[in-house]
Structure formats: C-alpha cells, structure tokens
Amino acid sequence: MGAGGQMPRRAGGRGALLLRSSEVPASVTESFILSGYRCPGYTFAQCLLSAFRPTNETGNFWTHFLAVFVFAFRFLEQFWGEAPGPRELLDPFYYPLWNYFLGVCGLLVASSMAHLFNSMSLPIREICFYVDYGTISAYTVGSSLAYFYYIHPRGAPGAPAPGATNLSSGPGPGGEGVDRLSAPEGRVGAWFEALYVPTACLIALFCTLACCSTRHQWPRYRYLIRTLVFLLPFVVVSAPVFHKLWRAGGGPGTGRFFLRHCFWLLASGVFNVSKIPERFSPGKFDIWGHSHQWFHCCTFMSILDELHMIRGEIQELGTGGPPPLPRAPTFLSTFGVMLLLLLLLAGIVGWFGARAYASQQQDKPRKGD
C-alpha cells in the first residue's frame, strides 16, 4: 500500500514506474525483495513490454519461457535420425509420451505467463498463480502416464530385469520350483495397475487445492507448505522407478538420471523455502539472481533429466518402430485422463478465482469509507 494506506495509482503512460515493497499491496510483496515491483493495474501491452525491462519478475519470466523451446528441442531430438515416420508418431505407443510433453510445456508456459501478467490486477494475479499450481499438478499426471506405460512394464511383478537374480523362486520339496513371492507380488501388481493413475490424479487435485489455499492462509509458511505438498506426488508418481531400480532393472543411465532428477528437485525446494541468496543481502538480488529464478532453473534441470530417463526406458523397450507394450495405451486412458483432470483443475481454479474477485469487490467499499 502507498502512503496513507492508499492503492498506488494505475500504471499508465510509457515506461510505468517501478515501486518499492512499501508502495505496493502486501499480497504482492516477496520476502527480502525490496524494489522492482510493478504496480497492479498494468495493461496487457505494458505487461508484454515489461518482459524487456528490468523488474523483479523479468528473470522469472525468461527462465521458464526460454525453457519451453529448449525442452521442445530436446524432446523432438529423439525422433531425428533413425526416427519413426509421421504415422508412427501418432501410434498409440507414443500417447503417454505426448501427454508428458503437453504436461511439461503447459507447466513452463503457465509459469512464465503468470509472472508476466500478474500485475494487471490483484484478482488476475491470484488467478495467474492458481493456473500455475494447476499446471504443475497436470505435469505430475503427465509424468505418471509416461512412468506407467514405459517404466512400469519391465518392472512388473514376476518379470525380473535381464541380468537380475530372481529372488522369488527356488527349488521346493520334491524338486518342484516354488514361487514364494509371486502370489503376493501379483496381488500388489493388480492393485497398482488399477490405482496408480487414479491416485496420481486425486493427489494432483489435492495439491492444487492446498497450494491455492496457501495464498489466503498460513502466509508465513506458504513456501514450505507448497514445497511439502508437491513432495507427495513426487513420491507416489516415482513408485515405478523405485520398484524398477530395486529390481536392478532399467535402461542405461536410468538410475543416474533419476538421482540427478531428485537432486535438482531437492535444490529447487531449498531455494524456494530458504530464499537464498536475497535473505542474506536484501535488496541486492531484487532484479537478477534471486531465489525464485534459481528455483525455476533447478526445476527445469530436473525435468530434462526426467526426459532423459524416460527416453532411455523407451529405447530399452525396443527399437525399429513402436514396440508392443504389456498394456496398450489408448486415447481414453491417456489423453482422456488428462482432459478430465484439466476440466477438474479448471473448476478448482475458477472457484478460487471467483473468490478472489469477490474479495476485491468487498474491499472496495471499505477503501471508500
């Protein structure tokens, strides 16, 4: 808020002024960031132009906007050279992979747009970040589809990886082989087949609800809560990878890429919660080098390592065209799942957005008084 508790004037004219943290509403400020704020009230054009001006959101925008093109290049790279033809790219085998691609690109685009356009108004700011949380959740479900179809098959119960010792069977009385663990593993596998993707979707909805709620509740611990909330889908979605590595399976580099994926996720969480380096030098990292920019970079590095891991698993499944899978992906079980999830996420975002708009409308008479 400005002096006397008044909202700063609407940004107008060429080169709208940047403000200090004491001159903008408290809901706009970030811990230890003292300057470089855009006043709520920017026009659409001013928001676009602000991407090329040094504000405290400029780095946040570019670290994920440029990442869209880097990811798209690395994703399409696998289809070059001895690549499948256009028809094979549309083969159901690749449905989970395209859902993963859409999930990642949706996350990166929504994040960059949220940081670019959040200064148009306070309700729009809230909606921007509600959408951001929703696309993070959609990305986790896109990952779960890729893990389910490409990483889980060879880690299925009773199917040890090549070169791995089968610990579930051994000679029994009378010289007959007794599969001691196949029955329990088979039951667990059946439950996994039925519940893995639905559970990932339910957790995605829960995470979106929880993160949207932190914009109005528990402000002091909002970054910690959001980080811990998104730890849950990581643990659940990564279950096929944990299982495959435990069974000594996986393609070349699967373990290495997954450990690097975990490292970058841990680093991103540390930056998001600790607010380092601006915590130690408030005001010196207002424009460049503050924790949210490092958070974006580490998050993207984790996604790249995840992509390498998935590509390695696809190569292990077979070469020379789309190989058959133990469970065949269908449009309904991949794109249908993602579409239903997006509709539910849109409902959550719409509900919170309506609340944000109503809250601002209620505040207007109070300010007039």
Side-chain angles (χ1 to χ4, degrees), residues 78-125:
Q78 66 189 313
F79 298 123
W80 299 343
E82 298 179 2
R87 290 185 180 180
E88 290 178 324
L89 287 177
L90 300 178
D91 189 281
F93 174 85
Y94 293 111
Y95 285 175
L97 189 63
W98 285 115
N99 275 269
Y100 173 72
F101 174 79
L102 294 174
V104 172
C105 288
L107 180 158
L108 297 174
V109 170
S111 174
S112 58
M113 293 301 108
H115 287 291
L116 185 62
F117 293 109
N118 66 55
S119 63
M120 293 183 69
S121 71
L122 293 181
I124 289 178
R125 176 184 177 84

Side-chain angles (χ1 to χ4, degrees), residues 64 99-115 127-143 204-205 207-209 211-212 230 233 296 299 303 338 341-346 348-349:
H64 266 179
N99 275 269
Y100 173 72
F101 174 79
L102 294 174
V104 172
C105 288
L107 180 158
L108 297 174
V109 170
S111 174
S112 58
M113 293 301 108
H115 287 291
I127 292 172
C128 281
F129 289 110
Y130 295 153
V131 172
D132 189 17
Y133 304 145
T135 55
I136 295 173
S137 297
Y139 152 71
T140 64
V141 172
S143 296
L205 296 173
C207 289
T208 306
L209 282 167
C211 288
C212 289
F230 280 113
H296 276 194
T299 300
I303 289 173
M338 187 63 81
L341 176 74
L342 291 176
L343 290 174
L344 294 173
L345 291 174
I348 294 173
V349 170

